[in-house]
């Protein structure tokens, strides 16, 4: 029987869950409003968090042994408080994630990961064997390398699979109950790769940025004639982390994981990593000739708002067109988004 363990934030090291015998299952929210969740959570909290709770209350999730909630932002902390009472049952494991990157933070996070391995252990399970953990680390790294290769080829200008294909593939990859059946997973990853055809299309090349991007935005960008070549989001490219310079299999695996996650491209919540985030945008824009940027600001997400302000300054310096679209993750903004997107793409085409 497959044991599913839910997780939300991409700072959750799924390797530990795999090594413990779980199949990690990402909670990706749901479309529509969240009337039941707002009974227990304030209405002015991140809609992604609200929609995950709504899915649990409506029993739309598969049976989970528990869920790991990273205390990555204010909304997640509120979710961690209510989940044991109104969530999907099973364990609620709370993981503290530092908001800055230095050696102290890496050490602190590694200790939290050690504790996560203890709290998440299945009933009667012994202390997690480090060999198993290194095997899981290697397995996940192979998966991510395949994805990274595909996304880089696509962003580099060969005719790409649609952004929609990519995001759907990544969603299946994060939620597949058969994740450990490598042949099926291989299919999920390689299917979009078959669509690479090696000819650059002429639509405006866009970078999409946000905390977590609603898939319908990516679809709409492409329906309106734009080309989403890179999704800087925690359900897009950031999910795939960056390889570390530390060798796999050597030293403390928890320290390795702490470094892997904290040193990867930062999400908007990493307040002390602003300069690294600017360098990340600069590298994307230069490497994959980006002609315009669309920022999706999640309603009530403070981290996204100050991230947007930083990106605005970055775009002004580089004279790059920037469009801000606000959303509440419910899929209800289509009319307004479409009008603004069409105008933005028209402007890009005449430049
Ligand atoms: S946006 Fe950042 S804090 Fe929020 S879920 Fe994604 S990775 Fe975690």
């Amino acid at each position: 029987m497959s044991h599913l363990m839910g997780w939300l934030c991409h700072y959750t090291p799924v390797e530990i869950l795999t090594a413990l015998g779980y199949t990690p299952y990402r909670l990706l929210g749901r479309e529509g409003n969240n009337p039941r969740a707002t009974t227990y959570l304030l209405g002015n909290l991140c809609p992604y968090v609200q929609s995950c709770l709504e899915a649990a209350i409506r029993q739309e999730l598969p049976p989970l042994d528990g869920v790991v909630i990273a205390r990555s932002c204010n909304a997640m902390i509120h979710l961690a408080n209510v989940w044991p009472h109104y969530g999907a049952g099973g364990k609620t494991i709370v993981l503290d994630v530092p908001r800055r990157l230095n050696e102290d933070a890496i050490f602190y996070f590694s200790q939290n990961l050690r504790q996560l391995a203890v709290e998440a252990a299945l009933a009667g399970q012994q202390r997690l064997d480090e060999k198993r953990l290194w095997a899981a680390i290697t397995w996940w790294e192979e998966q991510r390398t395949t994805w990274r290769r595909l996304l880089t080829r696509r962003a580099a200008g060969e005719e790409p699979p649609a952004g929609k294909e990519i995001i759907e593939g990544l969603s299946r990859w994060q939620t597949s109950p058969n994740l450990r059946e490598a042949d099926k997973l291989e299919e999920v990853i390689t299917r979009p790769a078959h669509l690479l055809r090696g000819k650059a299309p002429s639509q405006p090349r866009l970078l999409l940025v946000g905390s977590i991007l609603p898939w319908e935005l990516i679809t709409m960008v492409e329906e309106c004639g734009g080309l989403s070549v890179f999704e800087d989001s925690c359900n897009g490219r950031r999910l795939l982390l960056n390889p570390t310079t530390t060798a796999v299999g050597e030293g403390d695996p928890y320290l390795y994981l702490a470094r892997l996650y904290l040193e990867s491209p930062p999400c908007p919540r990493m307040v002390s990593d602003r300069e690294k985030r600017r360098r990340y945008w600069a590298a994307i824009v230069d490497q994959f000739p980006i002609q315009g940027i669309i920022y999706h600001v999640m309603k009530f997400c403070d981290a996204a708002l100050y991230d947007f302000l930083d990106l605005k300054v970055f775009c002004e310096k580089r004279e790059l067109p920037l469009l801000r679209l606000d959303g509440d993750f419910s899929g209800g903004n289509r009319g307004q988004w479409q009008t603004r997107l069409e105008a933005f793409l028209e402007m890009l085409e005449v430049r």
Side-chain angles (χ1 to χ4, degrees):
M1 194 185 111
S2 156
H3 292 275
L4 298 187
M5 179 60 82
W7 61 284
L8 292 97
C9 172
H10 98 253
Y11 285 95
T12 310
V14 284
E15 293 85 345
I16 295 176
L17 305 179
T18 302
L20 286 168
Y22 292 106
T23 297
Y25 179 92
R26 187 162 193 195
L27 275 59
L28 285 168
R30 61 191 293 283
E31 257 193 48
N33 294 327
N34 309 307
R36 299 199 193 170
T38 44
T39 313
Y40 308 113
L41 288 171
L42 289 172
N44 59 353
L45 278 183
C46 166
Y48 163 57
V49 164
Q50 304 256 17
S51 75
C52 290
L53 182 64
E54 184 80 18
I57 296 171
R58 288 176 185 262
Q59 302 187 341
E60 292 171 353
L61 299 173
L64 301 174
D65 280 21
V67 65
V68 180
I69 302 180
R71 288 161 53 92
S72 41
C73 61
N74 185 34
M76 290 284 181
I77 294 170
H78 282 284
L79 182 69
N81 291 337
V82 301
W83 192 272
H85 308 287
Y86 310 108
K91 304 177 186 195
T92 304
I93 302 169
V94 179
L95 175 67
D96 207 15
V97 187
R99 275 179 190 258
R100 57 191 68 241
L101 172 62
N102 55 37
E103 288 305 309
D104 288 343
I106 289 171
F107 179 73
Y108 172 73
F109 193 40
S110 75
Q111 296 304 305
N112 293 349
L113 298 185
R114 206 174 276 282
Q115 183 58 27
L116 167 67
V118 173
E119 288 181 36
L122 289 158
Q125 203 168 35
Q126 302 289 313
R127 200 164 149 256
L128 176 57
D129 175 31
E130 292 196 352
K131 267 202 196 133
R132 278 181 71 98
L133 185 49
W134 279 120
I137 289 171
T138 306
W139 189 81
W140 276 100
E141 186 45 29
E142 284 165 6
Q143 300 290 313
R144 291 191 189 108
T145 303
T146 312
W147 273 112
R148 278 187 218 118
R149 216 177 288 134
L150 167 63
L151 264 62
T152 303
R153 282 185 63 196
R154 161 188 176 245
E158 299 163 77
E159 187 175 346
K164 181 171 171 278
E165 285 266 353
I166 294 287
I167 290 289
E168 279 176 0
L170 283 171
S171 300
R172 270 182 287 142
W173 183 59
Q174 295 167 84
T175 55
S176 170
N178 298 312
L179 194 60
R180 304 185 81 199
E181 292 175 38
D183 53 335
K184 289 199 178 127
L185 190 61
E186 191 70 27
E187 204 182 295
V188 170
I189 297 178
T190 51
R191 206 172 94 78
H194 292 147
L195 302 175
L196 286 161
R197 284 184 288 270
K199 185 173 152 290
S202 56
Q203 298 115 297
R205 298 172 54 78
L206 302 167
L207 163 63
L208 269 57
V209 188
S211 33
I212 184 162
L213 285 170
W215 70 264
E216 67 268 19
L217 172 62
I218 298 160
T219 310
M220 191 181 289
V221 163
E222 291 176 341
E223 281 169 2
C224 291
L227 194 65
S228 172
V229 294
F230 200 103
E231 294 85 20
D232 169 23
S233 67
C234 72
N235 55 341
R237 179 58 181 79
R238 287 203 305 269
L239 178 67
L240 304 175
L241 313 177
N242 272 358
T244 67
T245 47
T246 318
V248 174
E250 281 174 21
D252 177 355
Y254 297 98
L255 260 181
Y256 175 92
L257 284 172
R259 194 172 292 285
L260 173 68
Y261 278 81
L262 291 182
E263 284 185 350
S264 282
C267 114
R269 73 177 285 277
M270 297 296 276
V271 285
S272 73
D273 260 3
R274 300 307 317 167
E275 188 44 42
K276 191 170 168 193
R277 195 140 166 73
R278 276 175 228 126
R279 285 202 307 270
Y280 181 56
W281 289 327
I284 298 166
V285 167
D286 293 340
Q287 192 182 348
F288 308 117
I290 295 292
Q291 294 165 281
I293 303 185
I294 298 173
Y295 198 111
H296 174 263
V297 176
M298 184 80 83
K299 214 168 158 189
F300 307 124
C301 176
D302 294 342
L305 276 172
Y306 46 73
D307 194 49
F308 170 75
L309 292 178
D310 230 13
L311 181 63
K312 192 162 174 269
V313 175
F314 171 88
C315 287
E316 279 164 5
K317 281 190 189 146
R318 294 207 159 216
E319 296 185 9
L320 260 176
L322 170 66
L323 173 68
R324 168 179 161 175
L325 294 175
D326 291 33
D328 63 2
F329 216 64
S330 68
N333 309 51
R334 290 190 72 90
Q336 197 203 58
W337 279 357
Q338 188 167 341
T339 311
R340 301 195 53 216
L341 267 172
E342 284 168 353
F344 184 67
L345 292 171
E346 228 176 270
M347 183 267 290
L348 287 180
E349 273 160 19
V350 295
R351 263 166 73 97

